[in-house]
Amino acid sequence: MELLRSHLAKVRIPEPTNRIQKEECCISFDTPRSEGGLYVDMCSFLGFGKDFVRWNFEKTGNPVYLHIQQQRKPVPEDRPLKKPTLLAIGVEGGFDNQDPEYETTYNIVILPDFISLPFPSVELPEKVRLAADGVILAEGAARKEQLAAWTAEKKKISEYALTLQQLDNGVLVPPSGWKCSKCDKTENLWMNLTDGLILCGRRDWDGTGGNNHAIEHYEQTKFPLAVKLGTITADLEAADVYSYPEDESVEDPLLAQHLSHFGIDFSSLQKTEMTTAERELDTNVNYDWNRIQESDKDAEPLFGPGHTGLVNLGNSCYMASIMQVMFSTHSFISRYYENRSLREAFDTSPADPTVDLNMQLTKLGHGLLSGKYSVPPQEKDEDGKTPNDKQEGIPPRMFKTVIAAKHPEFSSMRQQDALEFLLHLFDQVERANAGTPNLDPCNSFKFIIEERLQCPSGKVAYNRRSDYILSLNIPLDEATNKEQLEAFQKTKAELGLEGKKISGGEMVRPRVPLEACLSSFSAPEEVHDFHSTALNAKTTAIKTAGLTTFPDYLVLHMRKFVMEAGWVPKKLDVYIDVPDTIDISHMRSKGLQPGEELLPEAAPGEERNEESMELVANEDIAGQLASMGFNYLHCQKAAINTSNAGVEEAMTWLLSHMEDPDIDDPISSGSSKAPIVDEGSVQTLVSFGFHEDLARKALKASGGNIEKATDWIFSNPGASDSTMDTDSGNATASSSTTQIDETASVPDGSGKYKLVGMVSHMGTSTHCGHYVAHVVKDGRWVIFNDSKVAESVDPPKDMAYLYFFQRY
């Protein structure tokens, strides 16, 4: 006790703003339930496993710790099931998932001799008692994230429900036989609770759903509430009620009264439509999902080094799938596992290792590759047998926190695009290794693209940029099964006339060879409105592209998300026939050739003053967005803020700025100027190897968001054909090759590659659905589906979103 009193200066009482890491070690994935428990530093409030707490003492000199240990309680056979009162898992009032219960014990421990004092105890100094109570009672950092991930928001009562005015127009709604009053839709119907008009819902991303008549009716009348017909039953709380001005599903406590106004007896109605939540769930259970997840296969579960699953933290499968592939590559394994010990990473990390990316990557690498956390579960099932098809996996909470720091999307609990996350990961890892670029594992993915432009004068221009991803269009006209497709479409049409639908297993999709996608990247392409400095006039140039270097690991991104007719975003329903090995040697570009003449530099007088030009919304772009159901003012702002680059770019901006507080403010003359681009963001993109003018255009088209700007560049390959004057739409080209620091360690070698990994996506949009990884390990394919790790029986090589190849 005297020794403890001599260390009181090293004890702090936690403040409400302090982050308390009491659920997990910041160096490993040890928890209070691990052997040895968890030691919480009573000065920094960081947690350490038994094997690592001494490292912290040697680094910081902090001697006082709260030792937390949890022992599993035996489960009584007659344990009753609790009825949930909250849509949540593992929280008070939530679903009882029959998790085992644990008994927690606490001790105060003094290092370096691990002297232990019981807690609670009145003999302890008051400061120690207050500090320990503060840690125990505080909400842990990991627990806060868990609650945010699992707890669904309860529907709020609409502010329009209690004062809703209903028209006495004599409308009586029958109990069945409903149809949209403006089209022939008989599904996804919504009845406006003010006038009783029945109209179809919004058009979905894939073109299905309704025809937007219900929302168009609201925009004309401003009648605020509508209920989805087919979801009304005796359980009124389950009915879908939507508030257009509040733009969300709401609760209407007077729904029974509002329905009765139009003669609807809810007690006699049967459910015929899925609610919005059920509809989303239903899309998750179909043929494609089962095939990608191999859920219908008798797959052998795998355990041990390199076969550790990642716990889903709530829509974190996009991150898990990417990290499983990354830690199967030699560069990441070498950097963060084989040549980087946990002790070295901790000793070189800042005071708080939870915010150091290199530390958390090392922790994740050791967690995934050591095999320490990949062991068969020991508990027995109801039949007394030990199940062997599931492992607990490790929760990558600290890694997610640090990789997503200051990023508004990845720090949320929403689903994200795996491609965007991979680019963000490369960016952050490159920054974290800026002082030691030779250690940067991302260099093994980097390569240089060279684009050649030739105008009718015969003169040429070359532009170069570094890249990590080769983004490929999918030429559907190159499908190899056109006869089967025609027969399928005929059968589908015939069944449609009979009111029947094709099942998932009977679907016939276009099959496009990967070689056709690679060829489309290198194929000559016309560039219209190209300003030739040789002719001093607009003309049409021919662009070709190739690679000047071949990376150690080649990542191919399949552009499955496109804009179809009517500018409706759509996911291509297509198979890509991908061989186990490819040879891209023919795609090597060799730069300026003998006999070629470069285009001359643009004359100074031809330069335009962007700052003096004002931009007004392109009415075609604004009109097409408005036809999708968006507010017209918002559509105009989207067009202006993306420099009228196109409907797709404007929609991207609009979807990410709909919650802006000034979105409804009128457009002023000052706002009609080209959007101001942050110079820091420009330089960040330039550091990736993009031309400065291309970086500015991409940032303008993406609302200043770096990740979206990078994705915009990949999705608009023609934008890099030349230096773009975005306000006038004129294209010019410089005669000199864009300067890239080729002294940097960009790898090069043979163009022969073997397929070693895939990330597949299920769902209609990259921001919903689910991601799964398949990786070649020890000569066999392994599926990583969050915490599920098993030998792959039938890897879906034709369905992936991202393909990873390794040079051989």
Side-chain angles (χ1 to χ4, degrees):
M1 202 66 71
E2 287 303 317
L3 180 62
L4 177 59
R5 289 193 177 94
S6 70
H7 291 312
L8 288 182
K10 288 284 190 175
V11 175
R12 293 171 55 214
I13 299 173
E15 301 287 338
T17 56
N18 291 140
R19 295 172 67 239
I20 313 295
Q21 300 288 354
K22 63 177 182 178
E23 290 115 334
E24 181 179 297
C25 173
C26 61
I27 302 176
S28 71
F29 290 92
D30 291 350
T31 72
R33 298 175 187 178
S34 303
E35 184 179 357
L38 194 72
Y39 295 79
V40 178
D41 185 331
M42 297 301 286
C43 184
S44 67
F45 307 121
L46 295 171
F48 299 90
K50 182 181 180 181
D51 296 335
F52 310 100
V53 64
R54 189 183 293 274
W55 299 357
N56 183 64
F57 169 72
E58 293 171 355
K59 180 179 179 178
T60 65
N62 294 342
V64 184
Y65 296 82
L66 176 66
H67 183 215
I68 309 174
Q69 199 155 24
Q70 293 181 329
Q71 298 289 340
R72 184 171 173 177
K73 292 180 179 180
V75 180
E77 295 182 0
D78 57 347
R79 175 178 173 178
L81 286 173
K82 300 176 183 177
K83 184 177 180 180
T85 58
L86 182 66
L87 185 58
I89 295 176
V91 299
E92 186 65 30
F95 289 96
D96 183 0
N97 53 4
Q98 294 292 291
D99 281 344
E101 295 180 355
Y102 290 83
E103 182 177 5
T104 306
T105 58
Y106 302 96
N107 289 281
I108 301 297
V109 174
I110 308 171
L111 263 63
D113 297 324
F114 287 88
I115 298 172
S116 181
L117 301 171
F119 181 88
S121 171
V122 293
E123 297 181 6
L124 292 170
E126 182 181 16
K127 185 178 182 181
V128 174
R129 296 200 307 270
L130 292 174
D133 283 336
V135 169
I136 294 169
L137 295 174
E139 194 76 81
R143 179 64 173 172
K144 288 180 180 178
E145 293 180 11
Q146 182 189 34
L147 290 172
W150 282 110
T151 304
E153 293 184 5
K154 181 178 173 60
K155 288 183 182 180
K156 71 175 185 179
I157 295 177
S158 172
E159 62 180 271
Y160 300 91
L162 299 180
T163 58
L164 184 71
Q165 298 295 317
Q166 294 186 285
L167 303 182
D168 290 324
N169 53 10
V171 171
L172 293 176
V173 176
S176 61
W178 306 304
K179 177 177 170 293
C180 176
S181 62
K182 291 190 177 181
C183 68
D184 57 359
K185 290 283 186 183
T186 57
E187 295 179 345
N188 192 21
L189 299 178
W190 295 77
M191 184 191 77
N192 192 285
L193 289 173
T194 296
D195 59 8
L197 200 62
I198 297 173
L199 298 157
C200 60
R202 305 188 200 217
R203 184 180 293 112
D204 292 332
W205 286 99
D206 59 357
T208 61
N211 291 319
N212 293 328
H213 287 143
I215 183 137
E216 289 173 1
H217 182 62
Y218 161 71
E219 290 172 349
Q220 295 167 2
T221 63
K222 299 303 178 185
F223 297 157
L225 301 181
V227 61
K228 186 174 185 180
L229 297 175
T231 68
I232 305 169
T233 66
D235 180 12
L236 277 184
E237 289 187 3
D240 264 358
V241 179
Y242 194 83
S243 170
Y244 292 105
E246 294 165 292
D247 196 24
E248 62 182 331
S249 294
V250 295
E251 181 182 343
D252 177 5
L254 301 181
L255 183 57
Q257 174 184 322
H258 293 154
L259 293 173
S260 177
H261 180 84
F262 297 109
I264 297 176
D265 178 11
F266 64 88
S267 63
S268 63
L269 292 182
Q270 299 295 317
K271 185 175 179 180
T272 60
E273 284 261 17
M274 288 185 289
T275 64
T276 304
E278 289 170 332
R279 194 175 174 194
E280 291 173 357
L281 180 62
D282 187 63
T283 62
N284 297 350
V285 185
N286 58 38
Y287 175 77
D288 292 342
W289 286 52
N290 287 334
R291 183 174 167 212
I292 289 177
Q293 297 185 102
E294 302 188 62
S295 53
D296 57 344
K297 308 294 182 183
D298 188 16
E300 178 189 354
L302 299 175
F303 304 94
H307 297 108
T308 306
L310 287 170
V311 175
N312 195 315
L313 306 177
N315 288 326
S316 63
C317 55
Y318 67 92
M319 178 182 70
S321 58
I322 291 295
M323 297 316 299
Q324 291 288 8
V325 177
M326 288 297 99
F327 276 107
S328 70
T329 63
H330 295 312
S331 51
F332 270 78
I333 293 173
S334 173
R335 174 70 177 92
Y336 295 112
Y337 181 63
E338 292 177 344
N339 298 324
R340 185 75 164 180
S341 68
L342 289 170
R343 181 63 186 264
E344 182 184 4
F346 176 67
D347 287 345
T348 57
S349 67
D352 186 352
T354 66
V355 298
D356 180 57
L357 180 58
N358 282 329
M359 172 69 244
Q360 293 307 314
L361 277 167
T362 305
K363 170 182 172 177
L364 184 61
H366 281 256
L368 289 174
L369 302 172
S370 67
K372 178 180 178 181
Y373 304 99
S374 180
V375 293
Q378 299 302 313
E379 65 268 19
K380 299 183 183 298
D381 59 20
E382 294 178 355
D383 298 326
K385 298 179 180 179
T386 301
N388 62 352
D389 62 345
K390 181 184 177 183
Q391 58 171 273
E392 290 187 8
I394 55 176
R397 296 188 189 98
M398 291 185 184
F399 169 72
K400 184 178 188 293
T401 299
V402 68
I403 194 67
K406 299 180 181 178
H407 192 289
E409 287 301 318
F410 297 134
S411 57
S412 74
M413 291 299 172
R414 294 184 292 272
Q415 185 64 281
Q416 303 297 331
D417 184 354
L419 171 66
E420 288 186 22
F421 177 76
L422 179 58
L423 290 170
H424 178 70
L425 175 72
F426 284 154
D427 173 41
Q428 295 300 303
V429 171
E430 186 177 51
R431 290 169 182 262
N433 290 278
T436 53
N438 59 309
L439 297 179
D440 184 0
C442 301
N443 282 336
S444 62
F445 295 86
K446 187 179 290 187
F447 57 92
I448 295 173
I449 290 178
E450 182 174 72
E451 293 171 338
R452 178 184 183 272
L453 288 149
Q454 180 174 341
C455 83
S457 70
K459 297 180 180 180
V460 298
Y462 284 90
N463 294 304
R464 286 183 176 184
R465 58 183 171 86
S466 63
D467 250 317
Y468 291 109
I469 311 285
L470 193 60
S471 190
L472 301 177
N473 288 319
I474 303 174
L476 296 177
D477 57 343
E478 296 289 334
T480 58
N481 60 336
K482 293 180 181 178
E483 292 184 3
Q484 294 95 318
L485 281 170
E486 291 177 1
F488 167 72
Q489 293 297 339
K490 182 179 178 181
T491 302
K492 182 180 179 181
E494 292 172 352
L495 289 175
L497 293 175
E498 300 173 8
K500 300 178 181 178
K501 293 183 179 181
I502 296 284
S503 66
E506 299 173 331
M507 288 287 292
V508 176
R509 296 173 170 85
R511 282 197 169 273
V512 179
L514 178 63
E515 181 58 41
C517 302
L518 291 168
S519 297
S520 71
F521 175 82
S522 303
E525 179 183 345
E526 290 186 346
V527 180
H528 301 287
D529 292 331
F530 176 81
H531 182 80
S532 169
T533 54
L535 303 176
N536 195 24
K538 281 186 179 181
T539 184
T540 297
I542 301 299
K543 185 202 82 169
T544 55
L547 279 64
T548 63
T549 63
F550 293 148
D552 296 334
Y553 288 93
L554 177 67
V555 184
L556 300 183
H557 161 231
M558 311 312 298
R559 291 181 182 162
K560 291 189 173 183
F561 297 91
V562 298
M563 299 293 280
E564 66 172 357
W567 295 98
V568 177
K570 177 184 179 182
K571 182 178 179 181
L572 292 180
D573 207 6
V574 60
Y575 290 136
I576 309 295
D577 285 328
V578 179
D580 290 330
T581 61
I582 60 173
D583 187 348
I584 62 168
S585 300
H586 63 282
M587 296 177 66
R588 189 179 288 276
S589 181
K590 299 178 181 178
L592 187 67
Q593 297 298 299
E596 289 184 337
E597 184 179 351
L598 290 172
L599 283 164
E601 295 282 355
E606 294 177 343
E607 295 180 0
R608 300 178 63 93
N609 182 4
E610 271 192 36
E611 299 299 326
S612 65
M613 299 188 64
E614 289 197 353
L615 191 67
V616 295
N618 180 299
E619 293 305 315
D620 288 339
I621 294 175
Q624 290 186 61
L625 279 179
S627 69
M628 300 178 194
F630 294 111
N631 178 283
Y632 191 74
L633 172 64
H634 301 174
C635 299
Q636 289 180 303
K637 287 191 172 186
I640 290 171
N641 281 280
T642 54
S643 303
N644 291 323
V647 174
E648 185 174 0
E649 293 83 359
M651 177 179 286
T652 298
W653 184 94
L654 182 56
L655 293 175
S656 61
H657 288 79
M658 293 181 72
E659 303 299 325
D660 288 0
D662 60 348
I663 191 67
D664 291 313
D665 293 349
I667 299 174
S668 62
S669 59
S671 66
S672 64
K673 294 181 180 179
I676 298 173
V677 175
D678 177 66
E679 287 301 316
S681 299
V682 173
Q683 293 308 311
T684 298
L685 286 179
V686 170
S687 71
F688 294 169
F690 299 126
H691 190 282
E692 181 174 340
D693 294 318
L694 176 62
R696 291 183 186 279
K697 177 178 176 61
L699 287 165
K700 288 177 182 178
S702 308
N705 183 285
I706 292 176
E707 280 70 31
K708 289 182 179 179
T710 309
D711 190 41
W712 185 91
I713 292 173
F714 289 137
S715 302
N716 295 271
S720 59
D721 299 338
S722 52
T723 302
M724 303 296 292
D725 179 349
T726 55
D727 287 345
S728 65
N730 298 333
T732 63
S734 167
S735 62
S736 61
T737 299
T738 303
Q739 294 300 309
I740 290 181
D741 182 12
E742 294 198 48
T743 60
S745 54
V746 178
D748 194 15
S750 164
K752 295 182 178 181
Y753 291 88
K754 60 182 178 181
L755 182 64
V756 294
M758 304 179 295
V759 170
S760 303
H761 171 262
M762 296 152 281
T764 56
S765 164
T766 53
H767 292 88
C768 69
H770 187 58
Y771 288 95
V772 169
H774 285 77
V775 179
V776 175
K777 297 225 176 201
D778 302 323
R780 63 182 176 184
W781 281 97
V782 177
I783 179 174
F784 291 90
N785 186 1
D786 290 332
S787 57
K788 172 188 173 182
V789 182
E791 183 175 0
S792 176
V793 179
D794 182 22
K797 297 179 185 178
D798 52 4
M799 301 181 73
Y801 177 51
L802 300 172
Y803 291 94
F804 296 79
F805 288 84
Q806 179 185 354
R807 183 169 45 237
Y808 69 93

